[in-house]
Amino acid sequence: MLQKSTFSVLVVGGLTAYLLALTIHASGLIGVIIFTILILIVSRVYQEYFKLTNHFKRLSITDELTGLHNHRYIHNWLDKRVADNLPFNVLLVDIDNFRRYNDAHGHLHGDLALSHLGKLFHTTAREGELIARVSGEEFLIIIPDVSVEEATQRAQVYCDAVQHYNFPSTEQYPVTKLTVSIGVARYPDTGEKKHEVLGAADDALYKIKVATHSRVAVFSSIAEDIIRELQGLDVSEKLIDEMQQLMQLMHSRDRYTYRHTERNVKYAAALARKLNLDKDLQKTIRVGAFLHDIGKLKIPVEVIAKSDPLSKEEWDLMRDHPNLGYQLALGLSEVADCLPIIRYHHERYDGTGYPEGKLGAELPLSVRIMTLVDSFDAMTTSRPYRKKRTMEEAFDELDACRGTQFDPDLVEPFKEVVREIGILQSEEPKESAII
């Protein structure tokens, strides 16, 4: 459109000049005066035209509310960078609790907060760093030509800057204090295409958003996750390959379940160390924690991801996932000791759980550990149909269920573990940490 307008202006300008020349030739001095006046008018028109052109050009690449780049600009930049095969780091930024801030203060204050955030990001950025608002409460920060370690450090700088900034009205209502969470991924390490790198950053962000706030997370592959969590244990490459295939499938179908599994592994492994269990039992607990929900692979995605209450038939199907997982695990190598974890992790200490209603004394220690950590993570992560509980609220629930749902001897050591490893933070913003 701008090219057509420019051509039109040039044509009109040429015709005008031609007509003026004819006027001067025919009218002498009067023609010169008329020519001069018209030239001044035309030059003024040109000046306003180019101002308007530059204005629309800026609008086409700028987010009007924050003054940052917009979705179109940053994606065009990424396309060119990928086409030239030049490395860069993507920082995907999401504002924590922004809906709560809008509900408390109104959308006008929300827009004002976004404007402040744009200015804060602009002053925090170093030369060469590009920042864009890509949706209502999401931003992209692009950092080219540095290592992922340095990009992660820069992500922490942005995270801290937001955490310590006083946004409008938060002094009166500290509970609505704004923070951000950031997922970090690097091209080409995490993918050869733009959408793969952005997906990796989004996955790293999801890793922390579902359980905590005001954190920075770097993308790691599923293979890296498994190898890291099983390091130091006698696990064969064949079993690792089998687990990787299952976890990759789980992640592709239901990202929540995979991240839930990942956190359960961390909790269970830390509790096993706290209890000074032998290496073989630690191996059983860690592998079992990875595999405990594989039965959900046999359940339709629309049931797994449903945000509305399940029907009786759907609930019966969900309750059958321990048995489905047990049948699936029978085809794996070296997991015989993990089978009870897969089949019985929804049993209760008082015998009122499922699928068989076994009493706690009948359950291996590995199962009782899994029951505890699995329930705790479910309590402390957000789902569409349920607001997550804070760490202390979840601890109160664990205390209330000692001896009924949970092994009473495991509750206190587990509470100590959660405080020590710091996977979970409370709802109130705390100091940021790189994980």
Side-chain angles (χ1 to χ4, degrees):
M1 184 180 68
L2 288 176
Q3 288 178 344
K4 289 181 179 179
S5 298
T6 302
F7 177 75
S8 298
V9 169
L10 290 174
V11 170
V12 172
L15 290 174
T16 302
Y18 177 72
L19 292 174
L20 287 174
L22 293 178
T23 302
I24 293 170
H25 178 74
S27 304
L29 181 60
I30 295 175
V32 172
I33 294 173
I34 295 174
F35 175 81
T36 304
I37 293 172
L38 290 177
I39 283 295
L40 291 174
I41 294 173
V42 171
S43 66
R44 180 63 179 174
V45 170
Y46 266 84
Q47 184 180 10
E48 293 302 318
Y49 167 76
F50 284 115
K51 279 185 180 179
L52 190 62
T53 301
N54 289 332
H55 173 70
F56 281 113
K57 184 176 180 180
R58 285 194 298 272
L59 285 181
S60 71
I61 63 173
T62 304
D63 176 65
E64 191 172 4
L65 185 60
T66 62
L68 301 172
H69 295 304
N70 63 11
H71 185 279
R72 174 188 295 174
Y73 177 90
I74 206 70
H75 277 270
N76 285 340
W77 188 95
L78 289 171
D79 288 336
K80 293 176 183 177
R81 193 82 178 181
V82 170
D84 293 336
N85 198 29
L86 298 173
F88 59 87
N89 296 275
V90 169
L91 280 56
L92 182 58
V93 183
D94 186 79
I95 304 176
D96 303 319
N97 296 323
F98 192 58
R99 178 178 297 179
R100 183 168 65 183
Y101 183 91
N102 275 329
D103 290 343
H105 306 296
H107 288 279
L108 290 178
H109 272 83
D111 287 348
L112 184 59
L114 289 172
S115 177
H116 279 253
L117 188 61
K119 294 175 183 176
L120 178 62
F121 280 168
H122 181 75
T123 57
T124 306
R126 298 187 309 191
E127 184 178 357
E129 296 179 353
L130 301 176
I131 309 175
R133 181 184 176 209
V134 292
S135 68
E137 57 199 71
E138 283 193 340
F139 298 78
L140 271 181
I141 301 174
I142 307 299
I143 307 180
D145 304 322
V146 300
S147 66
V148 69
E149 290 78 17
E150 185 175 347
T152 305
Q153 293 172 1
R154 289 296 299 156
Q156 192 65 51
V157 170
Y158 283 100
C159 197
D160 291 341
V162 175
Q163 182 157 335
H164 296 108
Y165 186 84
N166 290 320
F167 288 89
S169 303
T170 52
E171 292 182 355
Q172 296 92 326
Y173 302 96
V175 71
T176 61
K177 181 175 177 62
L178 292 178
T179 57
V180 296
S181 299
I182 304 178
V184 181
R186 177 176 166 79
Y187 173 84
D189 305 26
T190 57
E192 297 181 353
K193 298 180 180 179
K194 179 183 70 174
H195 74 271
E196 293 173 343
V197 182
L198 293 175
D202 182 60
D203 191 54
L205 177 63
Y206 185 86
K207 183 179 188 179
I208 47 177
K209 282 288 289 187
V210 74
T212 186
H213 291 145
S214 193
R215 301 288 290 272
V216 173
V218 182
F219 173 79
S220 58
S221 69
I222 290 174
E224 291 171 334
D225 293 341
I226 294 173
I227 292 171
R228 181 181 62 250
E229 296 301 337
L230 298 182
Q231 190 173 15
L233 301 176
D234 184 20
V235 182
S236 70
E237 291 186 8
K238 181 180 180 182
L239 178 56
I240 290 176
D241 288 342
E242 292 172 342
M243 291 173 61
Q244 182 182 342
Q245 293 175 26
L246 288 170
M247 293 302 103
Q248 185 68 54
L249 181 58
M250 180 182 291
H251 182 274
S252 65
R253 297 177 82 250
D254 177 22
R255 188 165 56 168
Y256 169 82
T257 299
Y258 175 74
R259 290 304 176 194
H260 162 72
T261 295
E262 185 184 39
R263 291 188 298 274
N264 278 355
V265 173
K266 294 180 186 298
Y267 285 136
L271 182 55
R273 290 193 298 269
K274 183 79 172 179
L275 298 173
N276 293 317
L277 303 182
D278 63 61
K279 287 286 186 181
D280 287 340
L281 187 50
Q282 287 195 38
K283 170 187 171 181
T284 296
I285 290 170
R286 292 196 202 184
V287 174
F290 266 115
L291 300 176
H292 78 283
D293 266 344
I294 60 171
K296 292 182 179 179
L297 294 174
K298 297 290 187 179
I299 297 176
V301 175
E302 56 268 23
V303 176
I304 295 290
K306 189 175 181 180
S307 57
D308 297 326
L310 299 178
S311 67
K312 181 181 182 305
E313 292 76 15
E314 291 168 337
W315 179 237
D316 289 342
L317 184 58
M318 283 292 292
R319 284 170 60 94
D320 197 39
H321 81 267
N323 286 325
L324 296 172
Y326 174 81
Q327 294 298 325
L328 185 58
L330 289 175
L332 302 178
S333 56
E334 306 173 37
V335 297
D337 293 338
C338 305
L339 294 178
I341 295 176
I342 299 169
R343 191 167 195 175
Y344 300 127
H345 66 275
H346 280 292
E347 298 287 0
R348 294 168 57 102
Y349 195 73
D350 61 3
T352 60
Y354 63 88
E356 295 182 14
K358 286 184 174 290
L359 287 168
E362 301 173 352
L363 299 171
L365 177 59
S366 60
V367 175
R368 284 175 273 148
I369 288 174
M370 193 68 240
T371 300
L372 179 61
V373 302
D374 187 53
S375 299
F376 178 80
D377 186 71
M379 284 185 243
T380 53
T381 50
S382 297
R383 297 295 278 158
Y385 49 82
R386 183 194 64 235
K387 182 181 178 182
K388 70 180 179 182
R389 303 184 190 185
T390 66
M391 180 176 71
E392 294 302 329
E393 288 171 345
F395 284 172
D396 291 342
E397 182 70 15
L398 296 185
D399 288 334
C401 295
R402 288 172 185 258
T404 54
Q405 186 172 357
F406 309 119
D407 183 338
D409 294 331
L410 295 178
V411 172
E412 283 304 322
F414 179 66
K415 288 161 66 175
E416 293 175 12
V417 158
V418 173
R419 291 191 177 100
E420 288 169 3
I421 63 179
I423 294 177
L424 179 74
Q425 290 183 335
S426 69
E427 291 282 349
E428 293 302 318
K430 295 182 180 180
E431 290 299 316
S432 304
I434 298 176
I435 62 172

